[in-house]
Amino acid sequence: MLVRKHNRGFGQQLRSLLVFGSGELHRTGMGNLFPLIAHLRFLRVLDLKSISLHLFHPSGLNYLLQLRYLAIHIDQFDFEWILDLLYLETLVVSGYLLDSSTLENLWNIRSITIFHDDDTDELIERFPNLQALELVIRASNKVVYTGQFYIVFPKLECIAHLESLVVRFPPIWFCIVLPFDFSFPSNIKVFKLVSDLLTAEAVATIAGLPNLEILILKLVSFEQQMWGSRDTWDVGDIVFLVLKILKLKHLMIYKWNTFETFFPILEQLVICSCSYLEKIPPSFANILTLETIKMIHCNKYSNSLESSTLKIKEEVESRTGYEVQVLITRR
């Protein structure tokens, strides 16, 4: 329990404050919380996202001039509260973001997590120096039906410096797909997609990112699983020219069809909780840049999957003379 009374020197050396809890923190508790936080002038990390602040005005944030990271869960977030935080780099907000004519003053923000609403496009344009973005698609977002259901995806081309992008869909949207005409900034190096249905066109767009080095697909389904073969991911003729790390997590596929020419410089393959995947494509033995294969909690067909992994390891090592690390973690 936080109390008003504190020593004058309380928290002078504190650099990080994480508040854990669940549910709501009402006005009756706020009088104890924020005046105390305001005295932590050298705080660099403040994480309040596990408690709901509702409509309370979080006074005192503007005193935390050394703050680099802020995470907060509130009904409405006003950027006016943090305009003086010139060193703030990462902002995680769960709640509605109020627009401000002075957002350009937050030029130092490099990473932000926001929820996609109708005004997301205008808001994103206000952060020209953004390097990392986590975009959470709300379950209430409208979709467009043109033979399939498409999410109206925000326009991200204006963020020229964006290097890392995470897009999360609600798990119930297994039949919602990225639109065929969406596009990303060409500078993206890391892309993570969670809980979505990928069409061949969407995969081709992602693969076409000229600087994409790390791709993470989690709880993702592929178009073939919905309209054709329900157990196969067929990469087709799509080429990931510069991809170095591929991570597949919780994919419900039995078979994976691809060729080594589609991942010409892949260095690391991570397969996590893909319980039904029977084997890694044999063509991976021809990827001479392959350095590491990790298998984590892939139990149902673990014997065949492990056998294919070890065979690929042997063939790559015989061709290159370099060791391929294989890391297997079972439940």
Side-chain angles (χ1 to χ4, degrees):
M1 178 177 179
L2 295 171
V3 297
R4 278 186 185 276
K5 294 181 180 181
H6 53 79
N7 296 327
R8 183 179 298 274
F10 174 82
Q12 291 302 307
Q13 303 303 318
L14 195 62
R15 297 294 184 269
S16 300
L17 176 61
L18 289 74
V19 179
F20 296 97
S22 61
E24 305 168 359
L25 194 58
H26 295 280
R27 292 177 179 270
T28 54
M30 291 296 96
N32 292 328
L33 180 59
F34 279 105
L36 177 60
I37 290 176
H39 287 275
L40 307 179
R41 302 299 176 88
F42 296 97
L43 204 63
R44 294 191 176 190
V45 175
L46 178 58
D47 191 333
L48 303 173
K49 66 177 179 293
S50 64
I51 54 176
S52 178
L53 303 181
H54 284 287
L55 297 174
F56 188 84
H57 184 292
S59 59
L61 288 179
N62 56 310
Y63 293 114
L64 307 179
L65 299 180
Q66 302 298 318
L67 204 62
R68 267 70 168 175
Y69 176 99
L70 173 63
I72 191 169
H73 182 186
I74 195 167
D75 284 354
Q76 293 185 341
F77 182 84
D78 193 336
F79 285 97
E80 298 286 345
W81 300 335
I82 59 172
L83 290 181
D84 294 328
L85 307 184
L86 300 182
Y87 296 104
L88 188 66
E89 296 178 353
T90 300
L91 177 63
V92 180
V93 177
S94 178
Y96 181 73
L97 301 177
L98 300 177
D99 196 6
S100 172
S101 60
T102 55
L103 286 184
E104 286 77 5
N105 293 341
L106 299 173
W107 59 272
N108 202 43
I109 286 185
R110 295 290 184 266
S111 176
I112 188 171
T113 300
I114 62 176
F115 291 83
H116 177 37
D117 285 308
D118 293 338
D119 58 351
T120 300
D121 290 344
E122 296 180 5
L123 182 62
I124 288 177
E125 291 175 358
R126 310 297 290 277
F127 295 96
N129 296 310
L130 204 61
Q131 293 181 356
L133 171 65
E134 180 171 353
L135 190 64
V136 181
I137 308 298
R138 291 183 184 274
S140 59
N141 278 119
K142 294 181 179 179
V143 295
V144 176
Y145 181 77
T146 55
Q148 288 178 321
F149 291 97
Y150 290 94
I151 178 68
V152 179
F153 202 75
K155 299 176 181 178
L156 304 178
E157 301 94 322
C158 59
I159 318 175
H161 302 289
L162 192 66
E163 295 185 355
S164 176
L165 175 63
V166 178
V167 181
R168 297 181 183 274
F169 287 80
I172 59 173
W173 282 18
F174 64 91
C175 62
I176 303 298
V177 301
L178 288 174
F180 64 90
D181 58 348
F182 76 101
S183 60
F184 297 133
S186 62
N187 207 41
I188 289 180
K189 296 180 179 178
V190 181
F191 181 55
K192 179 177 181 179
L193 184 64
V194 181
S195 189
D196 185 40
L197 172 64
L198 280 175
T199 63
E201 293 85 357
V203 175
T205 298
I206 295 171
L209 292 170
N211 295 293
L212 184 65
E213 296 181 358
I214 301 175
L215 176 61
I216 304 170
L217 301 178
K218 181 178 180 180
L219 293 169
V220 166
S221 298
F222 301 95
E223 189 175 27
Q224 302 99 315
Q225 293 178 266
M226 296 300 295
W227 316 120
S229 176
R230 298 182 61 86
D231 60 359
T232 302
W233 178 27
D234 191 340
V235 179
D237 58 356
I238 299 171
V239 180
F240 294 82
L241 280 176
V242 297
L243 195 67
K244 295 181 179 180
I245 299 175
L246 175 61
K247 298 183 179 182
L248 307 179
K249 299 184 177 183
H250 298 277
L251 301 190
M252 299 291 289
I253 56 174
Y254 287 85
K255 298 179 182 179
W256 177 16
N257 298 328
T258 186
F259 293 98
E260 69 276 8
T261 53
F262 299 160
F263 301 94
I265 64 170
L266 193 70
E267 297 176 1
Q268 183 179 130
L269 174 64
V270 179
I271 301 176
C272 178
S273 297
C274 296
S275 299
Y276 297 97
L277 184 62
E278 296 176 350
K279 64 180 181 180
I280 297 176
S283 58
F284 272 73
N286 298 318
I287 303 178
L288 303 184
T289 55
L290 195 60
E291 299 176 355
T292 304
I293 302 175
K294 296 182 180 180
M295 289 196 333
I296 304 169
H297 299 164
C298 299
N299 286 3
K300 190 172 183 63
Y301 293 98
S302 59
N303 291 336
S304 61
L305 188 58
E306 290 177 16
S307 297
S308 67
T309 301
L310 294 175
K311 184 176 181 180
I312 289 171
K313 168 184 168 66
E314 293 175 0
E315 293 189 23
V316 173
E317 289 177 345
S318 66
R319 288 184 171 93
T320 64
Y322 296 104
E323 181 183 4
V324 176
Q325 289 188 335
V326 172
L327 305 174
I328 300 175
T329 302
R330 301 180 181 88
R331 291 187 186 276

